[in-house]
Structure formats: structure tokens, C-alpha cells
């Protein structure tokens, strides 16, 4: 089946607002085997919305719309759908009562305008919205949702259940293999022949800041074929694969800490607390994470971590020796220490921008590696932080 | 003038990739007084691209396209434009030589396919691309750009210069007023009457993670009127305004450090290094930022910062007293200390989730405040970090 997505709202056009609704909807539709054939953003003008619905209906089996269900005169999606279908807008009394009830519950006076949110094109099926005032609705293969992301997440799954109940649903299978430490071009080269000629299996590479996803998408009966492809990929680039599906490097580190009942701490220089931030972002970490030191200056490395001044003078702050002593200044079972040159300035011929020393220690065993990361300051720091966590993951 | 934006690429449809190009292009077009009337995403299918161009041309004065200029057979934007205009694709020999040259320079063997990137609809004006292989081009009010963001940023300004040179250009004036510490609804209520009836001045509120923007957009001759509105807003909510246009709280902190030649350090608990990360992200900070301590556990607060164990036992880790001692454990001219409950668990009746104590010290003068932030863990941490930096900004 084919779907066309329409986002309504002038604020999405001037570009100051990033759309996340269409990403959420597309991912969920993909799981039902639905192909997204196009996506449009339109302003709050009834004619434009109507035209876009017409266009979307022409090239797809059903149209999904988000936005323009608010109470103000700028909210015109209801009117546009009614106009396109040549059906009147009717007041759904029961829904109006529900909206009144919602306002009463939070002790807010309902504005007169809110009555608009209980009007729907005649014949529309209502989809209940527990997160906000405006219900979603479905009519003639046009499904309309609010624009607020939390309200989309509340109503969209109900729509999917309802809409695909009686349809011949393609059961889809998605498998993500997650790779770290291999550039996309090299990855593609290394495994291209494996995935080249598979019929009915859609393979794509998705570059995320947490790694590269190799995604397989196919009908459920292809699962075994995908498993075979997966095996082949593991046997060729297994050491770069850190997990599957919902795995993330930092989550796997937490799992490892839990399994071993290990505490962890971090000492960072150029990454400036990024490793700590990633760890502290995990719910459940507080039992294991003890402290993080951002020893940005040499004084701090000396005073807080006990790094010998001589070592810094002799080898430099960005060196194996300094990172080694930074590790020694920490006191937990697992330790991470990072010192590097993130740029844009500070590079030398010997240690160019992107040079980062990463040291880890797991239950007394140290490993210190030198890396050269490419990219701007932000990218270098991000890569260094995740590489450090990945080194720990490998040892846990 | 009206513009329609088209983004080409199946990877943008399945939703795994967030589009930033259209935001960049829309913002820059706004500055030329161009209204964006719609935005479409289409997959790599020549018919869909062609149809969308047709639709865009119907409802706008010119169409801007990004993506589909790569060398592979999936890259079909060139072909679609040629087909729509009913013009042949022609090899631009000079451009082909330039592409060859680009590959030679980086010592990479050019693939045969790359010849496609030197073919353009007959009559197209070439826009040079120094960041990548494929040039952009303009023909019959259709401007086509690569999909790589850095290449858009390289070619789009050249297009704007060229395209608007001979056009009657509306000179636009944009003024952003930046607000921190006031919820959007309250802000709107407080200043709504000021901005209500201004003709020809477009005012919008944009909620960003670094604050709320009150944006004025109008033709240049309205500048004085906007200045008067600005004055009125300052006199009403001046204490919540932290800057204008490109100002950011952390940048203003750095400026303050520079002016006073002050060093700075941070001690964080619930924010887990976010304040440090924001500061270290600034180029030029290394002279002033000395260290950051993420004293997540009580042991760390005691061992690293010299907080008295008694104080933690008596008042709790999340308390004015503990934060006060955390400040004392730092050694710079400017200090920031934060301890709070970011959630989702850990709240009590007395100190619910969102309770955060923030202490700052500037040249010996301390200020410690208690806040209650609403939102999930991420939001609480983000707000606490920026509020701390804003407290410092106010004192510098």
C-alpha cells in the first residue's frame, strides 16, 4: 500500500521548526509494509491544503495529515478535508461534551472557539485523543491527526490498529545491524556483494551519530533469508558490529556494569564531559556511575588526578603517558580517560587536529590507544566519546 | 515572491533522516522577502519528481530543489528537470573537466558514472560547487542543488546573489529578541497587546532549547517601527531578555569572562556535565575554563570537593548547604555548582522531581537559588544548565 503524508502549519514552512511527526509516522507505517510515496508541508491556507490532499490522493492509497486541528481560525485542516470530500462539517455532540470535560478536569475555562474541535466532515470516524483537546479522525482513506507530537503518539497507533484490521496486512520484518568504527564507504565496499542481489529484501545504510545501521526490511516470510545474510555480514565484519535493533553502545556498557556489579568514572579533557553526559543520560546508571572529572587545564590534571607535572612537560597533555596517569587518578572498577586535540586550532605536525588518546581500565586491566578522527570539533569530540565507550563495551 | 521547495531522496521519506537543508534554505529565502508556499519530499523516481516540479511551479514563482545530483542511476533530478522542461540533457565539457580535476586533487579514481554530474538540461546556468563533485544549476526559475548540507551551504548563497541581482528585491529586516526564564504562554500574555495591531510587521514566537525568540520580520523601511516595539517590550519584560539575534547565553558568559579576565570552573551533579559541555563547545574558552567536576555520588562530593559528610547527612545532597560547599571546593574566579533531582525517580514530597539548587560565585560573591523545573529528565537537566549559565551572565 502507498501512503502520502501531509504536514499542515505555516511555522513548518519558514523552517524554524523541525518536523518529527512525519518521521514517527513513516517508521510505523513502514512496519505495516506501507510505502511512503511523498510528503508535503503546507501553510495554513484552506486552498493549499485542499490541493495537496487532492495530489496526495492521486498518487497513493491513503493520505495521512498532521496539524491544523487547533481551535483558532488558522486551524483549517477540518475545513479543507470537508471541502475536498464535498461533505459538510457537522458538530459531533458527544465529542463536544468530551472536550468540555477535558477542560473541566484541568480547571481551565474553555474558549468558545474550542467548539470547532468537535466538528468533523460528515461520516468521519473519531479517534480518541487522551493527550489533548482535538480528537483525530478518519474518513474516506484520509486520516487526520493533531500537530503536537505527544498527541500524534497517542492517536496514531489507534488509527493503525483500526485501519489495518480488515486489510490484508503485509507482516513486515525489520532487522537493524549496528556498526561502529567503519566509515560508510568502506562498509559498503566490504559487504556490497552480500546484499547485492537479494530480491524482495530492501537493504539500506543509515548513518546516525551513534553508528551506522544496516537495515533489512522485507515481508515476514523472508526472515530466514535475512538471517543468512546477517550471518554472512557477521562473519565478514563482526568485530565492527556492536549490536542489533535497539542496542546503543552506552546501554550495552550499562548492561555490562550491571552484570559485573562494576562502578565507573570518567576523566575527560577534549571531550569535555560528553562521555559523562551519555552515561548519566541512562536511567539506572546512578548506582554505578560515581564521578566524572573534566580536567581541561593542566593544573586540574595535576591537582585533581595527581598527574605528574613532569609527565605533562615531557610528553605533553595529549599523550599516552598523561592518559595513563589520568586513569590512575580515578578510583572505580571501570575507568575512562581521554585527552586529545579537537580543533580547530591546537594541532601540530606530530599531533594534528583530531589526535585523541583514549585510555580505559576494566578491573585493573588497562588499554590505551591513539586515534586520529576526521571532522570538525564537534564530530571529533562525539566520535572520541563513543569510541571510548565502545572500548569499554568490548571488555565487559 | 513565492517559492516552492522540493527535497529529493527516498531516504528522506522513510523518515530515518532529518532534513536540515530546507530549514537553511527557507531561512535565507525569508531574508530576501520570499514566502515559502510549500515543501515536498519525493523519492528517487523520475515521474514523482517531475510531477512535483509541475505542482510547485503552478503555485509559486520559482522552485528550489535539493538532492538527486549524485553519480548513480538513483540520482534522477537532472533527468526529471530536463523532462519537465522538455529539453535534452547536454554534456557541459568544461564542467566535466572540473569534476575530473576535483578527483585528481584528492587522489581518488573517478568512476565512469561521474560523467552524469556534468550533464545539464540545455541552457542551464551552472553554479560552482567547491565542496563536492556536482555543481548546482539554474534554469527557467528552477534552481537545483546537491543534497549534502555542506554543499548546499556552498552553492545556495551564490544562487541567491545571482537570482536576485536583477530582481526587484524587497530588502527585509529581521530582529530577534531572545528571552529566558519565562514560559511561552506567559510571555505571549505579557506582550500580546504591544504586537497585536502592527500592519506589515510579521511577529512570531519560536521556542528553542536556548530560549524563546520573539522574531520581527518586515520590509526594511519598517525598521524604526520595529525599534519602537522593541523598546516597549524591553520596558515590560527587560529582565527576561538576555540578548538579540546571534547572542546565546553561553557566548555572553564567555564575553564576560574575556572582559574581566576571569577563570571559570563547574561542579555538577544532576546536569552531569551539561554546563561544562556547553562552555567547552565555545571556541576561545580554553584560556578561561579550568575544570569541571561531575560529582555524581556523595563520595565524590566529599572526596573531590571537600563537602562535609555531615552536611550531606543533615541537609541532603540536594540542598542549599551542599551546593554552597560544592562552590567552596572549586578554585576559579567564577564558579557554578548544581545539585538536583532530574527524575524520573528520586523525588520526595518536600523535594519533588525537578527540584534543583543552583549556586554561582563571581569574584567572591555567592548566589544560591532553588528552582522547580517541569518536564522530563532531559528537559529538567537542559533548563538547569542554561539557568545556571544565565545567572552567571547576569553577574558578569
Amino acid at each position: 500500500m502507498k501512503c502520502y503524508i501531509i504536514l499542515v502549519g505555516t511555522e513548518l514552512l519558514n523552517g524554524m521548526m523541525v518536523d518529527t511527526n512525519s518521521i514517527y509516522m513513516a517508521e510505523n507505517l513502514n512496519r505495516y509494509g506501507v510505502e511512503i510515496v511523498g510528503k508535503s508541508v503546507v501553510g495554513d491556507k484552506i486552498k493549499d491544503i485542499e490541493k495537496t490532499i487532492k495530489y496526495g490522493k492521486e498518487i497513493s492509497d491513503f493520505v495521512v495529515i498532521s496539524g491544523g486541528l487547533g481551535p483558532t481560525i488558522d486551524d483549517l485542516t477540518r475545513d479543507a478535508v470537508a471541502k475536498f470530500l464535498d461533505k459538510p462539517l457537522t458538530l459531533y455532540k458527544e465529542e463536544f461534551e468530551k472536550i468540555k470535560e477535558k477542560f473541566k478536569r484541568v480547571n481551565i475555562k474553555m474558549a468558545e472557539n474550542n467548539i470547532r474541535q468537535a466538528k468533523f466532515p460528515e461520516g468521519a470516524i473519531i479517534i480518541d485523543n487522551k493527550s489533548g483537546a482535538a480528537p483525530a479522525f478518519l474518513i474516506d482513506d484520509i486520516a487526520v491527526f493533531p500537530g503536537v507530537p505527544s498527541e500524534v503518539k497517542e492517536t496514531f497507533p489507534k488509527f493503525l490498529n483500526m485501519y489495518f484490521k480488515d486489510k490484508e496486512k503485509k507482516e513486515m520484518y525489520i532487522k537493524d545491524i549496528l556498526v561502529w568504527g567503519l566509515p560508510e564507504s568502506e562498509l559498503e565496499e566490504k559487504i556490497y556483494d552480500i546484499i547485492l542481489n537479494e530480491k524482495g529484501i530492501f537493504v539500506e545504510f543509515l548513518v546516525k551519530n551513534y553508528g551506522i545501521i544496516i537495515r533489512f526490511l522485507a515481508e515476514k516470510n523472508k526472515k530466514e533469508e535475512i538471517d543468512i545474510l546477517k550471518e554472512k555480514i557477521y562473519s565478514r565484519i563482526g568485530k565492527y558490529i556492536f549490536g542489533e535493533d535497539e542496542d546503543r553502545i552506552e546501554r550495552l556498557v550499562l548492561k555490562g556494569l550491571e552484570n559485573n556489579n562494576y562502578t565507573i568514572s570518567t576523566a575527560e579533557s577534549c571531550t569535555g564531559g560528553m562521555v559523562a553526559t551519555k552515561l548519566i543520560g541512562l536511567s539506572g546508571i546512578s548506582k554505578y556511575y560515581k564521578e566524572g572529572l573534566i580536567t581541561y587545564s593542566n593544573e586540574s590534571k595535576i591537582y585533581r588526578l595527581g598527574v605528574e607535572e613532569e609527565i605533562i612537560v615531557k610528553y605533553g597533555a595529549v599523550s599516552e603517558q598523561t592518559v595513563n596517569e589520568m586513569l590512575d587518578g580515578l578510583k572505580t572498577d571501570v575507568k575512562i580517560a581521554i585527552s586529545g586535540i579537537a580543533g580547530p586550532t591546537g594541532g601540530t605536525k606530530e599531533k594534528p587536529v583530531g589526535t585523541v588518546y583514549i585510555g580505559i581500565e576494566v578491573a585493573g586491566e588497562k588499554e590505551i590507544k591513539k586515534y586520529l578522527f576526521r571532522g570538525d570539533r564537534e564530530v571529533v569530540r562525539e566520535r572520541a566519546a563513543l569510541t571510548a565507550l565502545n572500548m569499554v563495551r568490548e571488555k565487559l
Side-chain angles (χ1 to χ4, degrees), chain A:
Chain A
M1 276 183 97
K2 290 176 178 179
C3 173
Y4 195 84
I5 298 177
I6 300 173
L7 306 165
V8 179
T10 303
E11 74 281 9
L12 291 164
L13 278 180
N14 64 27
M16 288 302 291
M17 205 162 136
V18 175
D19 146 58
T20 55
N21 284 338
S22 75
I23 295 181
Y24 169 81
M25 297 193 297
E27 283 212 310
N28 279 284
L29 288 165
N30 280 170
R31 285 174 200 278
Y32 279 79
V34 174
E35 183 193 346
I36 315 297
V37 291
K39 197 162 91 178
S40 254
V41 184
V42 283
D44 301 309
K45 288 184 185 159
I46 190 162
K47 264 211 178 138
D48 289 355
I49 304 172
E50 201 194 333
K51 260 194 206 168
T52 310
I53 295 172
K54 187 164 174 282
Y55 178 74
K57 285 282 273 184
E58 269 170 33
I59 66 165
S60 70
D61 300 306
F62 67 104
V63 169
V64 161
I65 307 176
S66 164
L69 291 189
T72 76
I73 46 159
D74 279 352
D75 294 300
L76 294 165
T77 303
R78 278 175 296 260
D79 310 72
V81 173
K83 196 136 180 274
F84 170 75
L85 296 171
D86 201 15
K87 290 183 177 171
L89 273 181
T90 328
L91 180 69
Y92 278 46
K93 282 186 190 141
E94 202 180 312
E95 294 307 317
F96 190 40
E97 292 306 317
K98 276 193 208 162
I99 292 173
K100 280 187 200 163
E101 201 51 50
K102 282 177 193 172
F103 278 90
K104 219 181 270 169
R105 221 178 303 143
V106 290
N107 237 330
I108 293 173
K109 201 175 161 262
M110 194 183 77
E112 259 181 52
N113 268 340
N114 284 91
I115 195 172
R116 291 171 50 80
Q117 296 181 299
K119 289 186 179 171
F120 304 92
E122 204 174 70
I125 302 165
I126 304 304
I127 301 166
D128 201 32
N129 175 4
K130 288 206 173 18
S131 298
F137 63 91
L138 169 67
I139 181 166
D140 288 359
D141 298 310
I142 301 172
V144 185
F145 302 87
V148 182
S150 62
E151 298 182 29
V152 172
K153 285 189 181 127
E154 149 78 6
T155 51
F156 201 70
K158 293 179 192 167
F159 155 72
L160 290 173
N161 268 335
M162 179 201 296
Y163 192 68
F164 288 97
K165 208 171 114 188
D166 305 320
K167 297 223 162 32
E168 201 196 337
K169 182 168 91 185
K170 274 195 236 167
E171 289 258 29
M172 301 303 288
Y173 178 68
I174 293 179
K175 174 52 76 181
D176 287 345
I177 298 179
L178 308 170
V179 174
W180 182 257
L182 204 59
E184 193 196 3
S185 55
E186 253 182 77
L187 172 64
E188 211 174 319
E189 217 177 273
K190 275 196 204 301
I191 65 167
Y192 200 67
D193 59 303
I194 300 177
I195 57 178
L196 190 60
N197 283 316
E198 290 306 322
K199 270 184 197 137
I201 299 176
F202 179 64
V203 187
E204 59 180 341
F205 296 98
L206 303 161
V207 181
K208 299 286 196 176
N209 58 1
Y210 57 80
I212 299 174
I213 304 175
I214 308 169
R215 169 165 293 183
F216 297 94
L217 177 64
E219 286 185 45
K220 210 150 202 167
N221 59 24
K222 295 268 182 186
K223 184 181 176 305
E224 274 173 39
E225 281 175 59
I226 290 176
D227 283 346
I228 293 167
L229 293 180
K230 212 180 83 176
E231 292 275 298
K232 283 188 194 165
I233 289 174
Y234 264 88
S235 76
R236 200 167 297 169
I237 58 156
K239 68 172 176 162
Y240 297 105
I241 297 173
F242 68 83
E244 295 183 9
D245 305 326
E246 299 305 313
D247 289 339
R248 295 295 174 268
I249 290 173
E250 61 269 30
R251 275 187 222 148
L252 297 170
V253 168
L254 174 57
K255 212 182 270 177
L257 296 173
E258 285 169 348
N259 290 343
N260 293 286
N261 202 21
Y262 280 161
T263 55
I264 187 169
S265 58
T266 53
E268 305 178 58
S269 186
C270 65
T271 46
M274 272 190 177
V275 178
T277 301
K278 278 190 201 304
L279 286 171
I280 293 173
L282 298 167
S283 130
I285 192 72
S286 50
K287 199 176 151 196
Y288 307 98
Y289 188 78
K290 291 301 164 192
E291 61 174 358
L293 281 85
I294 304 163
T295 50
Y296 208 62
S297 63
N298 289 343
E299 304 99 278
S300 177
K301 289 186 185 75
I302 294 163
Y303 175 74
R304 297 285 178 194
L305 291 169
V307 176
E308 297 271 348
E309 194 170 354
E310 262 174 56
I311 294 275
I312 295 179
V313 172
K314 195 166 170 192
Y315 301 102
V318 178
S319 67
E320 192 184 324
Q321 291 80 358
T322 297
V323 165
N324 183 47
E325 299 231 327
M326 285 167 75
L327 286 175
D328 291 343
L330 296 172
K331 308 174 350 151
T332 46
D333 303 315
V334 180
K335 308 172 181 180
I336 295 176
I338 302 178
S339 185
I341 301 153
T345 59
T348 62
K349 206 171 171 188
E350 227 173 69
K351 290 173 188 169
V353 166
T355 303
V356 182
Y357 286 87
I358 301 178
I360 65 157
E361 188 175 322
V362 176
E365 206 176 301
K366 274 184 193 164
E367 179 179 40
I368 302 174
K369 281 189 185 173
K370 181 187 178 178
Y371 291 90
L372 184 62
F373 298 107
R374 275 162 204 225
D376 65 19
R377 183 177 171 83
E378 215 36 38
V379 172
V380 168
R381 294 169 68 204
E382 184 81 35
R383 303 223 148 200
L386 271 168
T387 300
L389 287 167
N390 197 44
M391 281 170 68
V392 170
R393 182 195 62 79
E394 286 174 346
K395 293 279 176 219
L396 280 173

